[in-house]
Amino acid sequence: MVTPPEPGAPGPAAPARMPEFSRPRAEPVESFDTPHDPQWYKRAVFYEVSVRSFADSTGNGTGDLRGLTSRLDYLQWLGIDCIWLLPIYESPLRDGGYDISDFMRVLPEVGDLGDFVELVEEAHRRGMRVITDLVMNHTSDQHPWFQASRSDPDGPYGDFYVWADTDAGYQDAGIIFVDTEASNWTFDQARGQYYWHRFFHHQPDLNYENPRVQDAMLAVLRFWLDLGIDGFRLDAVPYLYEREGTNCQNLKETHDYLKRVRAEVDRLYPDRVLLAEANLWPTDVVQYFGDAESGGDECHMAFHFPLMPRMFMAVRREQRYPVSEIMAQTPTIPSGCQWGIFLRNHDELTLDMVTDEERDYMWAEYAKDPRMKANIGIRRRLAPLLDNDRNQLELFTALLLSMPGSPVLYYGDEIAMGDNIWLGDRDSVRTPMQWTPDRNGGFSLADPARLYLPSIMDPIYGYQALNVEQQQHDSGSFLHWTRRMIEIRKRHPVFGVGRYEELSSSNPSVLAFVREVDEGVFDGPDRVLCVNNLSRFPQPVELDLRRFRGVTPVECMGGVLFPPIGELNYLLTLPGHGFYWFQLPPPREEHER
């Protein structure tokens, strides 16, 4: 049972009890109890899910929590460790659920709190964890807090938001949605003042200068953590505070509040994770990990945004330098922290962290149709970005699974799903999951006209030709290949916790690096050599591997032994957009073999 907030505290009270479940409970198949692994997120493979797009259990055309619960066996089979849910809170849905009108209620379209608890318990029963988005920076303008704030300026919620008599403040803060918003201020007729918003005008920013706002958001965190959730992706955390004369992001006060949040989580909820969404340069993002000497006292994880567009840039230019340069600029992070890395997600492929020249290049190469652009980015899925080229899909996925950090797969990318650029905003990449060749791709039994978003039906990416059922029956499918690569990654903890050392290469089209973890970690040392051909043509490469002389590389996919490493440069030839993962066992293991 969840304890309701104290009388007079902000936010609606929790329900008196959880609703009864209609489905029988199964006995646990594996333990999810103590001993806990406080750094499980370092070795986890994350899977991002839009609940409304995944599986519809009621036939009303919208995916729901029970539908997702019914598909957990598939995610377990794929090898997923943690499911990341897009917002499931009550919302008018003007921004895909990121405009929250009640933090402590589930959007009725996707279920209720009982369905959520059942999802978490069933995921735990299968050894998987669940995190969800938490939007800390703003609410919907339909939230009771904002309605009270605009109607009663002197009331208890009067200063829950940032109000001003003019729109002249904070002029150094940039506009995020340049396509739709002309200002970060909007005039409210009811209150007769302007309110501040860094995102859409219907998403007013909370005023974290108010201690009651800080307490209210901590109460929201505790509410969901008490229900068993394993953590949060903290949306838009750089913008919590504003200061005149600054760009209103990354302020000291923001970090101080995140330290308070982390201390609360560590004190009451061990093994939970906080993942920061901060679209910044690595040297700025690292601040969101907090104090290095303590191993990190803010967020456990943060996304490495600048790496993602540079992977696409490097492959299209057929040169490793974009990736090499951003990795060289990536500082060491605290011992208890981890990067989150991704290829695509629910938003546009953001091009904030590139130069104007590089942005024009990316648009020219990957967004030839103007409908493919959104804000400062590209609203496309992975497969269409890569022209559905199987070799490129495998190369990008191999990079995702081997670069430093925990990989985040976007739902449907494991079967190379397509997009629909005719849909508005970012809905182009949020279409229904394609399970079978049957009606609506097995997503829903509803009339196709009633679907939350239309299913893709074109000859290449349509559900009749591209779906989970078909690929599960084809051992050579991209789905089976992805599952196999995740399995290999799980056998090598070095991918999650090992050091990253890029090797100098004689060929600029080849990106080669070693992931290495020392003796005494996970029952001994682990070393993996990754060699990636970013060119569409076959490429030779000479690598200086003398410090591994005497070692016989073992190719990870098939277990094939390659020639031993000696004093001379190691010679390899890679097919177009090909890659190798080699385990480098200690020489003594070779003698035992």
Side-chain angles (χ1 to χ4, degrees), residues 65-83:
L65 292 167
R66 286 182 176 267
L68 173 55
T69 301
S70 72
R71 297 293 185 175
L72 290 178
D73 287 342
Y74 164 74
L75 298 180
Q76 182 185 23
W77 171 86
L78 182 59
I80 300 305
D81 299 295
C82 183
I83 305 165

Side-chain angles (χ1 to χ4, degrees), residues 170-467:
Y170 310 136
Q171 291 300 307
D172 295 327
I175 298 173
I176 294 174
F177 292 136
V178 294
D179 287 358
T180 55
E181 301 296 332
S183 171
N184 287 325
W185 292 100
T186 292
F187 186 74
D188 180 68
Q189 294 286 350
R191 178 152 168 161
Q193 286 185 302
Y194 292 88
Y195 63 86
W196 175 255
H197 55 88
R198 284 309 298 268
F199 293 84
F200 291 116
H201 65 274
H202 54 81
Q203 295 170 325
D205 277 27
L206 289 163
N207 176 24
Y208 277 87
E209 298 287 356
N210 182 348
R212 295 187 68 228
V213 171
Q214 300 177 28
D215 294 341
M217 292 310 298
L218 280 173
V220 170
L221 267 78
R222 287 192 294 267
F223 176 86
W224 291 100
L225 290 167
D226 284 341
L227 293 180
I229 200 167
D230 297 289
F232 301 96
R233 170 195 176 263
L234 302 180
D235 183 74
V237 287
Y239 310 107
L240 300 187
Y241 284 82
E242 301 80 28
R243 278 285 177 275
E244 202 62 66
T246 73
N247 62 1
C248 297
Q249 61 189 56
N250 308 325
L251 300 182
K252 178 182 181 298
E253 295 87 345
T254 295
H255 292 288
D256 290 342
Y257 182 66
L258 288 176
K259 291 179 190 297
R260 180 183 173 191
V261 171
R262 172 66 180 271
E264 187 83 349
V265 170
D266 285 350
R267 181 174 66 88
L268 298 174
Y269 309 98
D271 301 348
R272 316 297 174 92
V273 67
L274 300 175
L275 169 58
E277 186 222 15
N279 190 359
L280 304 165
W281 293 105
T283 50
D284 296 323
V285 176
V286 75
Q287 301 172 25
Y288 287 87
F289 294 125
D291 179 53
E293 293 185 4
S294 67
D297 61 354
E298 290 187 34
C299 294
H300 305 79
M301 296 181 65
F303 283 120
H304 197 314
F305 275 94
L307 174 61
M308 177 268 300
R310 283 165 177 77
M311 291 185 190
F312 289 93
M313 199 182 305
V315 171
R316 192 53 59 98
R317 289 180 173 175
E318 302 190 348
Q319 293 189 335
R320 68 176 182 267
Y321 301 120
V323 173
S324 300
E325 289 167 3
I326 198 64
M327 293 306 296
Q329 297 174 33
T330 301
T332 302
I333 62 177
S335 59
C337 298
Q338 177 72 311
W339 291 110
I341 57 175
F342 62 98
L343 298 173
R344 291 300 303 111
N345 60 21
H346 62 287
D347 285 331
E348 69 272 16
L349 190 162
T350 178
L351 298 175
D352 283 332
M353 295 293 106
V354 299
T355 66
D356 291 342
E357 180 183 356
E358 290 170 334
R359 185 179 304 117
D360 289 340
Y361 174 80
M362 289 288 287
W363 274 337
E365 291 293 328
Y366 289 106
K368 299 183 185 300
D369 189 317
R371 285 184 298 267
M372 299 174 184
K373 299 180 182 179
N375 300 311
I376 307 178
I378 302 170
R379 58 190 198 105
R380 305 220 69 189
R381 268 190 177 266
L382 180 63
L385 280 167
L386 305 180
D387 300 319
N388 206 30
D389 183 299
R390 174 69 180 265
N391 290 333
Q392 288 191 70
L393 284 166
E394 292 185 0
L395 173 63
F396 272 84
T397 304
L399 286 169
L400 174 69
L401 296 174
S402 59
M403 295 292 286
S406 294
V408 181
L409 293 173
Y410 188 48
Y411 83 93
D413 278 356
E414 73 273 19
I415 60 171
M417 259 180 66
D419 51 39
N420 184 351
I421 60 173
W422 297 95
L423 298 176
D425 195 33
R426 290 162 288 185
D427 285 344
S428 60
V429 300
R430 302 178 185 181
T431 55
M433 182 66 176
Q434 297 169 193
W435 296 102
T436 71
D438 302 325
R439 181 189 185 96
N440 300 323
F443 163 73
S444 173
L445 295 176
D447 186 305
R450 295 185 59 199
L451 293 188
Y452 145 69
L453 287 174
S455 297
I456 295 176
M457 299 181 65
D458 69 58
I460 298 176
Y461 298 108
Y463 63 80
Q464 298 94 337
L466 191 152
N467 56 75

